Amino acid sequence: MDHNESKLIAAAQNGDSAALEKLLRSHYDMIFSLCRKLTGNEADANDATQEVLLSIVKGLPSFRGTSKFSTWVYRIATNTTLDELRKRSRRPLLGLEESNYVPKQKGSDLEDSVVSSIDLQAALDRLPEDFRTPIVLRDQLGMNYEEIANLLQLPSGTVKSRIARARSRLKDDLLGNKNASDFVKEVENE
Amino acid sequence: MNNSEIPNEAELISAYLDGEVTQEERALVESNPNLLRQVEEFKLLSNHVGQTALNNADEKENHISFAIKESKNLQAKNSKTSENILPLHKTIRSSRRRPSRTMLLSSVAAALLAFFTIPLFKSDTENGDSFLTAADISIDSERSEPQLIEESEVNPEKAEIFSSGDTGDTDTSVGTQGETANVDSDAKQREEVEPSEVEEIEEKTSSLQNEQSLMSIPSPPFSTEIITTYGMESTGVNSLLLADARIETGEGFDRFIIELSIPEDMNTSSPDQILPGSYAVQLNGDFEISNEGNFVLPEEVTNYLVVNLAAHGIIWIDEDPGYELTWNPTGEIIEEENSDLLAFYRGDFEGNLTFIIGMDSVRPFRTSLESNPPRLIIEIQHIE
């Protein structure tokens, strides 16, 4: 762990608000990004981010440095966000945003399409939560399949399959090969 | 490439990108230009998914300043709470299973004998250590609930989680539990003995160990602060089924026990390792989680704990009415003859059970988890 960060953590644990603020600022962007991608919309992401920061504040006294602070923070962020989604049962529904969704013209070049982060975020938001969560944990946090499987309490093979299918879906979506409801039908038919 | 091959091919490419393939699979991908081209496409996607999504500056400032404010509130509350928690020997009242006068005098005699004799046998050790050993022996003989300590000491899986915000990144709970039980027993002895006798013992104790005494053990972790494991390191399984909820009475505290069962379709070879999942206990917190009717607590309930636990109270079935309760309470109120507590089960909402434990005053509480069967235990301290 970074020496300066260790000092900040110790100071924050002893009630130093300035140290706590520095810690929260240094991890804020990644926390929000994770919440944004896991929840699939801005409003829930903001709620979840606030919950995550509060969980960190409450849990900080018990952090002992047995893992990297960033690992601990992102684990809290993931668990809090998933708990929030579970508690509220506000999983984004694919059908709701269909009216605003204009698929790319079929045959577009993937590189051109994916350059637009807005398009990609929208495509990611359209993925069902069961598929979005593993790919975000993999690509945003760099967790391996086993870690994701443990966190989500899924078999490792399922994680592997869902990440692959999520990527295929994103690719198809950005290229305009399929629309979101096709993917939902595929998932429902299984 | 036909369509039936696509899923496996996508999995292979995706796993290759993530470094989750065997050597044979790696060789297969690297020998196929078409697969390598698809790897590049997935890589492009992966890089973009991994990019950080930024929030707007105002929201960011609001979030951080709110968290800092909450932190300060927590600090203020914590210091206030620790000031307000009375020492156990003053707060615990044993109204049940009162030991006889003879037993008490025997206990005092045994304690005094142990205080004075064991140090003599251990003259090569420090006074404090000898005293603690002696005191532990004498108190163990009177301990009303030895099972608690023994279970915790021999089985780390049953280690109890007391502190708010415990993330599993701590291993102090077992020791604290033991200390608590010791203090608990000591308190029971004290309240039955004349104050002058207690003072006499304390004086002798003090002189023997140079100000080190059992009562100098840090305050037990009963508290009125919210306890939540939501969002923390996973301590257990969130998909267990509600099997029972009951109140049990104890010497210094009553227990509200939420017992769960392991679903038949859960593939586990070690039920001893299964603990309940996320939970939260809050004094006088919100409990209306849905708009289905207004629940009103009885008048005698002036304070209450709201317990939320990630578990299921219903299972979905094909027959009417489409669901089945995993536990049928015998009445609206969960109560126990010798306890003042009144508990209510508010149902399962999206895999989250809610209970309300009604009390006639603010009482410190603590929680613990046990396995086989998995259960969440909320211990609520008696107050004079």
Side-chain angles (χ1 to χ4, degrees):
Chain A
M1 191 182 303
D2 177 74
H3 181 61
N4 285 336
E5 189 170 74
S6 300
K7 283 166 71 177
L8 281 178
I9 293 165
Q13 287 175 323
N14 285 323
D16 183 336
S17 294
L20 177 64
E21 185 173 342
K22 278 184 184 170
L23 278 175
L24 295 181
R25 283 192 186 284
S26 67
H27 293 278
Y28 181 89
D29 288 343
M30 189 60 106
I31 291 168
F32 175 77
S33 182
L34 187 60
C35 292
R36 174 65 185 85
K37 287 171 181 174
L38 286 175
T39 57
N41 67 76
E42 292 280 334
D44 281 351
N46 275 313
D47 289 351
T49 302
Q50 188 70 82
E51 285 300 316
V52 171
L53 296 185
L54 294 179
S55 293
I56 290 169
V57 164
K58 287 174 189 167
L60 191 60
S62 63
F63 176 72
R64 289 190 164 190
T66 52
S67 63
K68 278 175 68 179
F69 185 67
S70 59
T71 306
W72 181 78
V73 165
Y74 302 142
R75 180 61 63 96
I76 284 180
T78 307
N79 283 336
T80 301
T81 308
L82 295 179
D83 278 340
E84 282 295 304
L85 285 172
R86 194 179 298 119
K87 272 166 40 181
R88 297 179 189 192
S89 186
R90 282 169 60 184
R91 294 170 178 81
L93 299 175
L94 285 168
L96 290 181
E97 295 181 23
E98 282 297 293
S99 56
N100 298 325
Y101 170 56
V102 181
K104 289 280 177 188
Q105 193 176 0
K106 192 170 179 176
S108 302
D109 180 66
L110 178 66
E111 195 156 357
D112 289 343
S113 302
V114 91
V115 163
S116 164
S117 59
I118 295 172
D119 285 347
L120 186 107
Q121 183 62 60
L124 195 59
D125 292 349
R126 282 190 288 270
L127 283 178
E129 185 193 320
D130 288 348
F131 290 80
R132 188 173 60 240
T133 303
I135 193 176
V136 169
L137 295 178
R138 170 63 214 162
D139 290 342
Q140 180 91 70
L141 294 186
M143 293 173 74
N144 64 37
Y145 290 178
E146 192 181 345
E147 289 169 330
I148 297 170
N150 285 337
L151 182 64
L152 302 179
Q153 295 176 9
L154 289 171
S156 186
T158 304
V159 170
K160 180 181 178 182
S161 163
R162 287 187 182 178
I163 289 174
R165 294 181 63 195
R167 284 175 174 151
S168 297
R169 167 64 202 142
L170 284 178
K171 181 181 152 188
D172 287 341
D173 196 344
L174 289 164
L175 291 177
N177 291 340
K178 287 181 182 176
N179 63 36
S181 56
D182 290 337
F183 190 60
V184 177
K185 282 173 194 162
E186 282 176 23
V187 173
E188 285 174 351
N189 287 336
E190 288 180 357
Chain B
M1 181 172 62
N2 64 46
N3 282 345
S4 64
E5 290 171 328
I6 291 173
N8 285 339
E9 193 171 274
E11 267 191 37
L12 177 63
I13 297 161
S14 177
Y16 174 84
L17 178 65
D18 295 333
E20 303 260 2
V21 286
T22 62
Q23 282 194 338
E24 291 76 21
E25 288 170 329
R26 179 179 298 280
L28 179 65
V29 172
E30 291 175 355
S31 65
N32 186 328
N34 184 41
L35 293 180
L36 282 174
R37 182 184 57 76
Q38 293 182 66
V39 168
E40 287 304 310
E41 288 182 344
F42 271 10
K43 192 174 178 181
L44 197 61
L45 282 172
S46 176
N47 289 340
H48 279 78
V49 173
Q51 281 180 359
T52 305
L54 297 177
N55 202 0
N56 73 57
D58 287 347
E59 288 284 2
K60 180 175 178 176
E61 290 310 313
N62 287 341
H63 284 154
I64 291 174
S65 58
F66 187 75
I68 299 294
K69 191 177 159 192
E70 277 301 298
S71 164
K72 287 175 181 169
N73 287 343
L74 272 176
Q75 283 174 34
K77 265 187 185 176
N78 284 340
S79 59
K80 197 175 170 186
T81 303
S82 53
E83 283 168 11
N84 288 343
I85 293 179
L86 298 171
L88 263 182
H89 69 277
K90 287 183 181 172
T91 59
I92 294 178
R93 171 161 292 281
S94 169
S95 59
R96 304 173 191 93
R97 287 179 269 161
R98 291 170 70 92
S100 67
R101 179 80 179 167
T102 311
M103 259 183 81
L104 288 166
L105 291 175
S106 303
S107 304
V108 173
L112 288 171
L113 186 65
F115 290 152
F116 290 114
T117 55
I118 290 183
L120 296 177
F121 291 113
K122 292 190 155 197
S123 56
D124 55 337
T125 61
E126 287 180 17
N127 282 345
D129 291 341
S130 303
F131 165 75
L132 283 171
T133 310
D136 282 343
I137 291 167
S138 66
I139 288 170
D140 278 350
S141 66
E142 286 291 298
R143 200 159 55 195
S144 61
E145 291 171 326
Q147 192 63 25
L148 263 177
I149 291 178
E150 286 159 12
E151 280 187 3
S152 296
E153 285 171 351
V154 299
N155 190 347
E157 279 80 42
K158 293 183 180 178
E160 309 213 351
I161 298 169
F162 286 121
S163 60
S164 171
D166 194 322
T167 61
D169 194 19
T170 173
D171 56 3
T172 57
S173 51
V174 173
T176 312
Q177 166 77 359
E179 287 162 4
T180 305
N182 278 344
V183 175
D184 199 309
S185 285
D186 189 63
K188 276 191 296 171
Q189 275 189 309
R190 282 164 184 271
E191 71 176 19
E192 303 295 344
V193 179
E194 293 296 324
S196 58
E197 291 175 87
V198 175
E199 284 165 16
E200 191 181 336
I201 293 169
E202 281 180 342
E203 275 177 24
K204 287 172 182 170
T205 300
S206 177
S207 64
L208 275 171
Q209 60 176 10
N210 299 325
E211 297 183 1
Q212 183 179 9
S213 76
L214 266 185
M215 297 313 292
S216 71
I217 291 170
S219 296
F222 275 103
S223 166
T224 54
E225 285 297 299
I226 183 173
I227 298 173
T228 179
T229 64
Y230 278 101
M232 303 296 175
E233 297 274 356
S234 177
T235 54
V237 179
N238 289 337
S239 55
L240 301 175
L241 307 176
L242 176 62
D244 188 29
R246 61 183 180 275
I247 294 167
E248 291 181 358
T249 55
E251 288 290 338
F253 46 80
D254 288 343
R255 290 172 157 187
F256 183 67
I257 300 173
I258 304 172
E259 192 171 298
L260 306 175
S261 63
I262 300 170
E264 286 176 8
D265 57 356
M266 183 183 288
N267 187 15
T268 177
S269 55
S270 49
D272 286 350
Q273 308 292 319
I274 303 290
L275 289 170
S278 303
Y279 66 93
V281 184
Q282 186 177 13
L283 181 65
N284 298 335
D286 293 331
F287 57 80
E288 284 303 344
I289 53 171
S290 71
N291 295 321
E292 295 168 12
N294 292 316
F295 173 70
V296 179
L297 285 163
E299 277 184 9
E300 63 264 37
V301 173
T302 57
N303 293 274
Y304 54 87
L305 298 179
V306 179
V307 182
N308 281 296
L309 171 63
H312 296 274
I314 56 173
I315 49 175
W316 302 105
I317 56 173
D318 292 333
E319 296 83 34
D320 282 339
Y323 65 89
E324 193 174 80
L325 297 176
T326 63
W327 171 63
N328 282 300
T330 51
E332 285 187 356
I333 302 177
I334 305 162
E335 53 190 333
E336 207 281 329
E337 194 179 355
N338 294 318
S339 171
D340 297 332
L341 301 179
L342 299 174
F344 307 88
Y345 174 40
R346 299 295 297 143
D348 167 5
F349 184 74
E350 296 292 342
N352 192 75
L353 309 178
T354 301
F355 292 88
I356 297 161
I357 308 171
M359 310 178 290
D360 54 4
S361 58
V362 171
R363 301 191 197 178
F365 56 92
R366 63 187 182 190
T367 62
S368 60
L369 297 173
E370 291 190 7
S371 63
N372 205 6
R375 51 202 186 274
L376 168 63
I377 301 167
I378 298 120
E379 292 175 343
I380 300 158
Q381 205 172 30
H382 294 161
I383 297 273
E384 264 185 277

